[in-house]
Structure formats: C-alpha cells, structure tokens
Amino acid sequence: MDERLEAEGEVAVARLAIDSGDLGHAAKHLGNALTADPRCPDAYEALAELVAAAGGHAAALELFPADEPYIGSIACVAQLHAAAGQWEPALSALATVIGAEPERPWAQVAWLADPDLPGRVSPDAVTRAVAGLSRNLPDPLPPQLRDGVQPFYTLVRAGVAAHPGHTLLHAMASTLARRFGDTADAVAWAERAQQLEPGHSQAVILGSALHAAGRPDDALAVWEAEIARDPSDLDLYVDVAELYGKTGRPAEGLAWLDRALAAEPDHPKAAPAVLALRHAVDGGTAHLLALSDHLRTHPDHGYAAHLLDRLCDDKPWLGHVHEALEASVNVLHQMLGNPKSARDHEIELLGSALEAPSTRLALRMGFPRSTIDYQGVPEPDPRVPQYRVDTVLWRFDGVEAHPAIDPPSPEAAELVRQVAALSWSAPGAAYDHSVRLSGLSAEDLLAVCVHPPLPREDEQGAYLLGRRPEMWVRAVQTFACLGLAHHRADEPWQESRRRALLLDLLFGPEDWTNEAAGFALLAIAWTDPASREDIGARLVDRMMAVGKAWQERDATILASLSHLVLACPWLPETFLDLAGKMLSAATEFHAETPPDDAERRSDITAALEARQTAPHPTDATQDRKPRSLLRRLFGRTR
C-alpha cells in the first residue's frame, strides 16, 4: 500500500475515534499514521484536533504514554511539545526518532525549519539533543542518510553561530559536522570548545575531528597530551593505539594497549583491540581465532564482535562462502550475462574433463533445461572417495552424476532456504546462526546438499538466481553441513554421528560438498577447542590428497581447502606453510587466462545468438518455445 494512503487511512480512523470520544484509540492511530508517512499533513492537522478534544497540549501528551515508545508516537510527542512552545522536549523527542530511522524524513517538520527557532530554543537544549542524535548516527554518515538529518544539522549550525561562547554546543556540533564530512567546521568548532573550556571530552572530540580531517599526527598529539593530563580513560588508549595501527605503526599502538591492560586486564575494548593489532603485525589467523575465543568467553564484549566482523569480512570462509572455480561456472556467468539469454533456453555444455558434480546444480538452477557432458575423466579419478564412506550423495553413470538420495521434505528445504547465507561475521557466528537447523533430520540436511531450493524471493535472491546461482548452491550446502554440525550435539565428538557424517562428506568424491563439510568442521573447531587437533588433522589430510591429485590434473577445490587449513592456526607451522604454498599455486593457476579465452568467449556469444534465432528441428505440430543450443568445449585442463 502507498505510504500516504496508509497514513490517511489511519488518520480517518483516528478522526472517527475523536468524534466518538475515544481519544486514546485516536492517539494510537495518529502514531501509526506518522509511522507510515512522517510528512502526512492530515496527521498533523488531526493532532491539533486531538489537542482541542483533550482540552490542551498537556492532556493530549498524556495520551502518548512513555512506556509505549513507538516511533510514530514519539514523533507525535515531538509535535505536541513544539506546538506548545516546549522546545527542549520537542527537540529531544525529534532527535530520538531521527536517530532511530535517519533514512526517513522525520526532520521535515515546519517548526524545525522556522528561522526564528534558534532564538527561541536554549543552547543547552540544542546541545543535549545533538548529543543524543550523534550517538545513534553512523560515522561518517552515508550520503543517502544526510537528507533526513540535514534540517536538524541546519538548526545546529544556526545555534553555533548564535552562541559563540557555548563550549558544549561547539563540541557536540563538531561531532555532527564530522559525520556530515564537514571536517573543517568539525575541527574549528572542536578547537573553539577546547579554547573556551579545556576538558577531557573536548580533547577527545578535537582528536576525532583532526583524525577525520586527515591529520592523524595532530590527533595523536592532542590525545596523548590529554592522557598525560588525565590517564583514567582507558578507551582513549585504545583510540590512540588503533590510530597508530591505521597509520602503519602498529608496534607503537601495542605499547599503548599494554598500558591499558596493565591497568585493567579485562578491559572490554583494550583486550580485543590488542589481538586485532597483533593480527595487523603478524597476519595469519592465530589472533583472529584468539579474538573469537575472547568473544566466546566474554560475550558481553561487543567491541570484540565488531573487530572480528571487520577483520574476517573479506576473507574466504572466515567471512563468506568461497567462490567456485570450475570452467563451466565461468561459462554460466557469460550466458547469464548475455541479455538475449533466458532461463527457459536449452543449454548444452561439453567440457573436456569431469568437474565437481555440484556444478550441474548451479547450471540447472540458472538454466533448468540445460545439460552438461564431459569428454573424459581425468586421473586420478575425482569420482573415487579418498576413503571408504558410508554417506553417498552422488551416483555416477560414467561422467553423468545424479543425486543418490531423494529430495528433502518441503519444510526442511524451506527452512534451509530461509537460514542459508553467503556471508557471516566469523565462523563461530555462522555456527550459531545455523542452530535453527538443529531440529532437522540428518537425512533432510544431506538431501538439501544435492536438491538445493531456489533462492529467497528478495532482491539478493533475484540477483543470485539471475547472475550467480552457484554461490547460492554453495551457501545452501554450507548451511546444510552446519546443520549437520548441530546433529546430536550431546554426543562426545570423537564418537559422534555428526563427526562421521561430516567426514564422509569431506572425504567423498571431489565436490563442493567437500568444502562445505570442511567449513562446518572448521566452525566446530573455532567454537570447541577440544575438537581442534582432530579437525585440523582431517582438513590437512584432505588438502594433501587433493594437492597430490592437482599435480596430475586440475582440482578446483584445492584453493578452498587451503584456506580452511590456514584457518587452523593451532596446526604445526609445516602444514600452514604448505597450505600457503598450495593456495598461492592454485590461485596463480586459476588467475591465468587461457590463450584462446577471448576467442572462446566470442564463439560462445555468437553461438548463443545464432541458436536463439535459428529454428529447431521439430514436428510442425509441436509448440515452439525460446530455445538456444550452446555446445561448448571450454578447453582442456591446463
């Protein structure tokens, strides 16, 4: 429903309630109206009618109880206070709703734009309002949020100009200017606040403004001078340390964190920050695992979660699903990127060497009427499990692979569809997120691996289905395996069925499910230190076997397995070094462009276009549907 229409409908109900004397009911509907459309003029007119019916602003305000702080109700409270000339509570309430939803036009109210308002409202009121607002806004403020906050910022600027001697107003205005990217004003106002009344908050804000303005050394000088004057704020030690880290001097930053931890060993910011800074110095994953362990033992340390999220964000498996490297996936991307292709086209692919069977799932998700064939099976045979396994996902008929198990129940498929994700903040977070799947049977979770549901019907799902179906298949398999990681979680690890199932998938025929099971094992290890030695050894075993095969033929899962081993910092350095070398070699191999790649790409496009226009041999009575026949040889294994 259109926002304005929804709001007007709420106003109509509110007016009926006013007419019948049910003012409390009317107040709720007016709050709903502003929630639907903060700029609905009828809602503000009806608020005035509510005031008249209630007998004044004070009585009308009582209809919006403070113990029911719905955002539309708070906006009504702001409007009622403003109409009564009570500017401080009006600004405070408005700052609350802007901070909660800065992307919406809550600040587009007539009284805030009144040019006489800066002269009516006290600088203390503006200071308190902007302090509350800045706490809830991101720093910096994304461009798409600035329009919603701009009217409030305009009032703050006017307040600063009208009250040049107000220390705290200048300081708080600096924090808002910094978020808007107005760094010159942020520095000037913070310097003015420090000149007017030197103090701890003013020094912290000045250092932040200097940092935002690209003057890190000046910021450090201000902060270090303040610590020398007042060494009690350990959070400021963290700010100093991290700024040293950002400017390429992490060793100097560590000295500041050591001082903070000497004063308070479990400081909620310094303790995780030292691990993050050591990671900047040493690299690898040891400090990331230590940070994860810290968060596990100190779940209330939100800063640890923030740092872990940031540091794992761009790392395969630590923060997201590893990409697929098969040649057929590259061709799939080209076909999906062709504006003349459609999902109901018939696609036939011919590859030189057998690939992971899950590539068929991705191809058929992108083009349901597609087929893929291969010229041969490379040696060593990727269809042969590394060890004897009891859990079989794929049945091979020559080079043709078929799911070896029936589809999952619709309920299980839908739950996995809702839970699966391409990214997470850390392996432990992915493990925790997947706990929703713990109630599914192992049979359903295994079935989902080879019968993946379609992506969710949202913007991301549409993109995955239309451009990157293989990433969705890999996400589904990953979370199905994470669901297995919770299977019979009360069983001791070594004798558990979850271990047996995941090892069967890890050591089965070369496939994306090897990687998914490997990540599930890694997630268990990151959350259960007692399992680390066993899981690390299994991941190394699988990587070594695939690496040995890679000496004879391509093994597209080698890079992914190497990433998993590198995420096991408890392993002997010998294995970590080997994993690093394997990763570098595999990455270099797959980054090379085959000499005939451009020619093949041109052939693909030409063949696709030709097939789209050419008639398909068929009986005259048969329905004709859009078809394209693309027979491609995407190159021998290099």
Side-chain angles (χ1 to χ4, degrees), residues 184-206:
D185 284 335
V187 171
W189 292 342
E191 287 177 337
R192 177 62 175 162
Q194 185 73 331
Q195 291 166 1
L196 288 168
E197 187 180 341
H200 182 73
S201 294
Q202 291 88 307
V204 172
I205 290 170
L206 175 56

Side-chain angles (χ1 to χ4, degrees), residues 332-342 345 367 467 604-606 608-609 612:
L332 174 62
H333 291 167
Q334 294 163 17
M335 293 187 296
L336 290 170
N338 189 318
K340 296 183 179 180
S341 65
H345 286 168
F367 294 95
R467 301 304 293 269
I604 289 169
T605 302
L608 180 59
E609 291 175 349
Q612 287 169 338

Side-chain angles (χ1 to χ4, degrees), residues 163 165-172 189 192-194 196-197 202:
H163 304 282
H166 198 286
T167 301
L168 291 181
L169 177 56
H170 279 74
M172 291 299 102
W189 292 342
R192 177 62 175 162
Q194 185 73 331
L196 288 168
E197 187 180 341
Q202 291 88 307

